[in-house]
Amino acid sequence: MKLSELGEFGLIEIIQSIAEKSQNPRYDSWRRLLVGIGDDTAAWQAGDYIELATTDTLVQGVHFNLNVISWKELGWKALAVNLSDIAAMGGIPVYALLSLALPQDLEVENVTDFCHGLAELANQFEVAIIGGNLASSPDVVITITIIGFSKSNRILKRSTAVPGEQIAVTGFLGLSSAGLKMLQKKTTLDNETTNILRQAHLRPTPRIKEGQLLLQRGVNTAIDISDGLIADLDHICQASKVNAQIKIDRVPVHPLVKVYSLNQGVCRGQLNIIAGLPGSGVIANAD
Amino acid sequence: MKLSELGEFGLIEIIQSIAEKSQNPRYDSWRRLLVGIGDDTAAWQAGDYIELATTDTLVQGVHFNLNVISWKELGWKALAVNLSDIAAMGGIPVYALLSLALPQDLEVENVTDFCHGLAELANQFEVAIIGGNLASSPDVVITITIIGFSKSNRILKRSTAVPGEQIAVTGFLGLSSAGLKMLQKKTTLDNETTNILRQAHLRPTPRIKEGQLLLQRGVNTAIDISDGLIADLDHICQASKVNAQIKIDRVPVHPLVKVYSLNQGVCRGQLNIIAGLPGSGVIANAD
């Protein structure tokens, strides 16, 4: 069977089952583990706090298009998608490792711009870039690993939702998707709209503070919804074994997205915001 | 300027200078940092022990050839090169994150074999595979991140060598390189030699125990020499600001490599074992 037939989540299940076959409570590693494969980050007990680690890869032509995104924006975004996973656990990011696979005929200046974009966001969240790897490759492949921790010795998980809870999201939905569509189709909009949509897609702000606030307020469940509200709410439902109901008119879609959807004839479904499937929990998003 | 003109180490210097511009002693991240970019792993103070993190990427066609290495061997090797970096710091590996960028027409069975090879080695060192990332990509790109720690609250570094110290290596040199040459040239050798050379290149054993033993015996300096004795000894010399002398007849070259070098007309320089440059310190290798 080909990977395309099995799909991403089928493959994750296989990898998880192989990894967990080695599970041994006598090993220090497994004994301290709190969350393994299948949440936004892994988590383990490290002394009197919980430590978190997550990794995310962006592949040229698959996750980004260098005709659309600048190198500086790419550096920012590559870090942002990782920080967003830490945010969804209610964690604080601390260290970043940067692995770059790059074509040898690339201009050094591009990589410098990339690093400046990455460092700008890292600095904003007091994250230190402490190591990584350089490799030669036909396409640009960026892998960032973030190590963080939870101050409160609690974390937000996917598997803790219970019936009766409310579903909430941070911020408006759909802006990032609308930004992507606008950039792909080279749609001409007024300057302010263009700027807001572009920033939403290319310079998302990780919800680090919001994640911690949720923890402080006693929330137990969250997920990064960069895959879209429905797909990611479904992950909470699966992990927590609950159903969910969404009232579509209560989903906070940004006014610009509504305008844009009508103007461009793009249905909201394509912008990942149509609702009505299973789910219960509290949701944090990065866009 | 192109990356090919600047070279890997030139680019590392640029990234390091950008990363360190954000250095701020008021940040928890920087205050706890013991070793940043430029050693085998990063290291920071985490309570009463030292924590380590490292990442390594293997790119299809650059670091491995699927006509030569099996998927199971690839899984083993991808983890081994990372564990070797932890070994060179005198650390104990604990957790692994696996990021796979894979073509969608790949057979699922190949990925399963890969994971079995990886899990076999992980299990041997009691490492838990706790997370990662899956992405679609034209070529196979494997990035593994390892998190470990040092029991003794000391680590082996590149920058601590002082004049008068002896240089030592773990095991024989040249076997892995000879194995690569044999596999590339499809050289026919007797079964035993083929097997030893093949294993040395495709199933290297990380020197985790040796690294810890070195620490216990009061050694301060080490480096993973997967790039070859001279290149990696030079890194110690640069970081420690020392020179080194190597007596070429004292370098422990495996007898099979000597035989193989003569038979195949491959000079030892091509096998990364010719010596005679600067350096002082103690060296741990993975091959």
Side-chain angles (χ1 to χ4, degrees), chain B residues 246-253 258 268 275:
Chain B
I246 294 179
K247 292 181 180 148
I248 186 156
D249 57 323
R250 302 281 293 277
V251 175
V253 178
K258 290 183 188 165
R268 290 198 222 158

Side-chain angles (χ1 to χ4, degrees), chain A residues 174-184 197-198 200-201 260 271:
Chain A
L175 273 184
S176 171
S177 277
L180 175 62
K181 289 274 184 306
M182 176 192 76
L183 292 164
Q184 280 173 339
L197 293 183
R198 189 182 165 88
H201 185 65
Y260 180 68
L271 300 176

Side-chain angles (χ1 to χ4, degrees), chain B:
Chain B
M1 196 198 291
K2 306 277 185 199
L3 291 190
S4 53
E5 299 166 64
L6 178 66
E8 183 187 348
F9 297 106
L11 187 57
I12 291 176
E13 271 179 33
I14 289 177
I15 295 175
Q16 187 170 9
S17 79
I18 295 172
E20 290 177 356
K21 230 180 263 171
S22 308
Q23 202 163 357
N24 187 331
R26 286 184 302 126
Y27 295 174
D28 181 49
S29 51
W30 287 107
R31 201 175 48 239
R32 285 159 58 194
L33 192 66
L34 300 171
V35 179
I37 294 170
D39 211 312
D40 288 301
T41 79
W44 63 92
Q45 198 69 45
D48 50 7
Y49 60 93
I50 294 174
E51 192 160 335
L52 308 169
T54 181
T55 190
D56 235 331
T57 296
L58 299 182
V59 181
Q60 179 180 3
V62 178
H63 301 100
F64 61 90
N65 179 339
L66 289 167
N67 295 325
V68 161
I69 192 166
S70 74
W71 281 93
K72 201 173 170 190
E73 287 163 336
L74 184 60
W76 175 288
K77 186 158 184 172
L79 183 61
V81 296
N82 274 284
L83 295 186
S84 183
D85 286 325
I86 297 280
M89 304 296 280
I92 296 170
V94 183
Y95 291 120
L97 299 171
L98 170 63
S99 183
L100 291 174
L102 302 168
Q104 284 305 293
D105 61 353
L106 197 68
E107 291 294 331
V108 173
E109 198 188 341
N110 293 335
V111 187
T112 312
D113 287 348
F114 173 90
C115 290
H116 281 299
L118 193 153
E120 189 188 340
L121 181 60
N123 208 21
Q124 193 171 309
F125 287 101
E126 306 188 359
V127 168
I129 304 159
I130 57 169
N133 187 260
L134 292 175
S136 171
S137 160
D139 298 295
V140 178
V141 181
I142 303 155
T143 302
I144 292 182
T145 301
I146 304 286
I147 290 151
F149 66 92
S150 168
K151 264 185 183 169
S152 68
N153 208 19
R154 279 178 55 232
I155 44 174
L156 303 168
K157 293 198 281 186
R158 296 183 180 186
S159 58
T160 43
V162 291
E165 289 182 329
Q166 285 192 299
I167 302 162
V169 295
T170 59
F172 289 109
L173 300 185
L175 272 184
S176 171
S177 278
L180 175 62
K181 289 273 185 304
M182 178 192 76
L183 292 164
Q184 280 174 337
K185 296 189 174 179
K186 296 184 179 158
T187 316
T188 314
L189 299 166
D190 66 271
N191 278 352
E192 198 196 330
T193 307
T194 301
N195 201 31
I196 292 174
L197 294 184
R198 189 182 166 88
Q199 295 269 324
H201 185 64
L202 301 179
R203 260 178 88 95
T205 302
R207 307 285 192 179
I208 299 290
K209 281 177 191 155
E210 290 86 338
Q212 286 167 65
L213 201 63
L214 290 171
L215 256 189
Q216 284 165 23
R217 298 290 170 96
V219 170
N220 291 315
T221 308
I223 190 168
D224 171 38
I225 57 166
S226 48
D227 284 346
L229 174 62
I230 297 312
D232 285 318
L233 183 52
D234 192 41
H235 292 147
I236 286 192
C237 290
Q238 303 270 352
S240 297
K241 299 191 175 65
V242 293
N243 291 316
Q245 239 190 346
I246 294 179
K247 292 181 180 148
I248 186 156
D249 57 323
R250 302 281 293 277
V251 175
V253 178
H254 196 281
L256 275 179
V257 175
K258 290 183 188 165
V259 171
Y260 180 70
S261 302
L262 293 173
N263 281 348
Q264 303 302 317
V266 180
C267 91
R268 290 198 222 158
Q270 286 178 276
L271 300 175
N272 279 333
I273 51 163
I274 279 202
L277 274 183
S280 172
V282 175
I283 320 265
N285 82 312
D287 301 332

